[in-house]
Amino acid sequence: MKKTLITLTLAAGIATPAIAGDKLTYFTWSGYELPEFNQSFLTAHPDAVETSVFGDDDDAFTKVKAGFHPDLAHPCYDKIARWNKEGLLQPIDTARIKNWNNIYPVLRNLPDIQAGDGKVWMVPWDWGNTSVLYRSDLVAPDAEQSWNMLWDPQYAGRLATIDAVHDTPVVAALLAGVSPFDMDAEGLKKVEEKLREQRPLLSSYTTDMTSVEQSLSSGELVAAMTWNASAVALKAQGVPVEFMNPKEGMLTWTCGFVLLKDAKNVDLAYDLINSRLEPDSGKALIENYGYGASTATAFAEVPQEKLDELKLPADPQTMLSTTVFTGPMKQNDELAKMFERIKAGG
């Protein structure tokens, strides 16, 4: 998905009657505003939501902290502690979430979403993997299934990586033998050295997956760090690519819905969350983007052959428990400054 900052208005609408003129303000990733993700909401509340989209988590956080006031937002799990620290959120009552118990336990029980007394700070909705997408016809048949492919000098100038502190520096930490989520000064130094080693080999740092996909399709790139959706898109075009299962582990992320502290349309927010947790909504997410839905009921709607095609497990609970789950990074600010300095050539 290409993530660009635009604003759009959708017809939308579910169970709680809205007062005429009420509109939910929803802040999400570009590409996640598709009507098939909340069809029952559209049916019940026509023209009841205004959707703005953001390019990445940092963009979303900065805008909200600066005074933008949506009712509902869609950040990722590793940023929830940051939003909470700034007092931006109010707890969500899981008793009002119809499919709460159908969310996979590994997602439902994430530590940083717990708000006590049956309440949470985030309702998980989507999850996916970050890995190496590579041209299988342009690398050696016996190429090692390792993140090291993105550090391989033989592909210098034909590699790309994601421009985000919770992606590339995390992988650098894994390769350096350092915990990505809590590192001391020596660990930070090792990660810095690993990132400096990679920089001259790269064509770009980017979150523009459309450009990455085009470059992989043309052969300009041999390998890149991407999300599941890029693998789905290129395979559909007949491009010979493989989405790697690195020996060091794929990264797994999850994102979800948060209710802003000063939300004005709380009932509509719950209605949208409930609509998006319905099986058909999760099925649309899986089949459109190759990302995982958070509920077992959504996975049950997808034929096994489709899951096999998308390389999604029939039992996500097991996979989510065994990959490298992207959580809060204690040294996030230090890593972010270091990463910016390295990217700039410093």
Side-chain angles (χ1 to χ4, degrees):
M1 267 179 300
K2 185 177 180 181
K3 297 177 180 177
T4 53
L5 186 59
I6 55 175
T7 302
L8 49 132
T9 302
L10 301 175
I14 133 182
T16 306
I19 298 171
D22 278 0
K23 283 198 176 187
L24 176 76
T25 53
Y26 174 46
F27 196 31
T28 189
W29 298 85
S30 176
Y32 281 82
E33 69 281 0
L34 302 183
E36 51 263 51
F37 292 160
N38 41 247
Q39 199 60 55
S40 63
F41 188 95
L42 288 162
T43 300
H45 302 309
D47 196 31
V49 65
E50 291 182 350
T51 304
S52 295
V53 303
F54 51 79
D56 59 36
D57 274 311
D58 289 332
D59 172 33
F61 174 78
T62 299
K63 192 171 182 182
V64 172
K65 187 179 176 184
F68 177 53
H69 297 296
D71 297 305
L72 193 69
H74 185 184
C76 293
Y77 168 63
D78 58 299
K79 298 296 190 294
I80 296 304
R82 190 182 186 195
W83 286 59
N84 249 335
K85 185 178 178 181
E86 295 295 329
L88 299 175
L89 307 179
Q90 63 173 290
I92 295 171
D93 186 354
T94 60
R96 296 186 64 179
I97 305 301
K98 297 176 185 176
N99 271 314
W100 176 253
N101 288 329
N102 289 320
I103 294 175
Y104 289 106
V106 69
L107 300 176
R108 199 169 66 227
N109 298 324
L110 287 167
D112 273 29
I113 72 169
Q114 306 306 317
D117 298 323
K119 295 180 172 60
V120 291
W121 299 112
M122 184 189 88
V123 175
W125 184 63
D126 55 317
W127 61 267
N129 299 115
T130 303
S131 190
V132 181
L133 184 62
Y134 65 94
R135 283 285 298 265
S136 55
D137 58 333
L138 299 179
V139 303
D142 59 349
E144 184 182 31
Q145 299 296 287
S146 168
W147 284 107
N148 278 310
M149 185 179 285
L150 296 181
W151 272 259
D152 194 329
Q154 70 177 308
Y155 305 128
R158 303 178 72 188
L159 302 169
T161 195
I162 295 176
D163 186 5
V165 70
H166 51 273
D167 289 305
T168 299
V170 168
V171 173
L174 291 175
L175 292 176
V178 174
S179 167
F181 310 113
D182 188 10
M183 58 189 81
D184 57 18
E186 182 181 353
L188 282 165
K189 185 64 177 175
K190 288 179 179 179
V191 171
E192 181 175 2
E193 290 170 357
K194 200 69 185 170
L195 290 170
R196 288 190 188 284
E197 177 188 333
Q198 184 189 41
R199 185 183 179 279
L201 306 176
L202 295 174
S203 168
S204 65
Y205 297 94
T206 184
T207 57
D208 183 351
M209 290 297 119
T210 299
S211 294
V212 168
E213 290 161 18
Q214 290 170 348
S215 296
L216 282 166
S217 179
S218 70
E220 179 184 347
L221 288 178
V222 170
M225 182 188 291
T226 74
W227 303 294
N228 310 59
S230 293
V232 173
L234 289 180
K235 281 180 176 288
Q237 296 169 30
V239 180
V241 292
E242 289 297 329
F243 195 58
M244 184 187 290
N245 185 7
K247 65 180 185 180
E248 302 86 2
M250 285 185 176
L251 303 188
T252 297
W253 48 264
T254 187
C255 306
F257 306 113
V258 297
L259 189 59
L260 277 296
K261 188 175 184 180
D262 53 0
K264 295 180 175 63
N265 296 289
V266 173
D267 288 339
L268 284 176
Y270 276 100
D271 286 352
L272 184 68
I273 293 170
N274 280 318
S275 180
R276 291 215 163 197
L277 285 173
E278 291 174 357
D280 285 351
S281 301
K283 180 175 185 286
L285 171 69
I286 293 168
E287 294 185 344
N288 274 291
Y289 293 143
Y291 293 141
S294 64
T295 61
T297 46
F299 266 81
E301 293 292 311
V302 182
Q304 184 60 51
E305 56 267 26
K306 185 65 176 178
L307 293 177
D308 291 343
E309 176 191 333
L310 297 171
K311 292 194 172 180
L312 285 172
D315 179 17
Q317 173 72 17
T318 300
M319 179 182 182
L320 291 167
S321 301
T322 55
T323 53
V324 180
F325 209 100
T326 304
M329 301 170 72
K330 292 186 178 179
Q331 290 76 30
N332 185 88
D333 292 345
E334 292 170 81
L335 279 168
K337 289 175 185 175
M338 175 216 297
F339 193 36
E340 289 302 316
R341 189 169 61 249
I342 291 169
K343 288 187 297 178

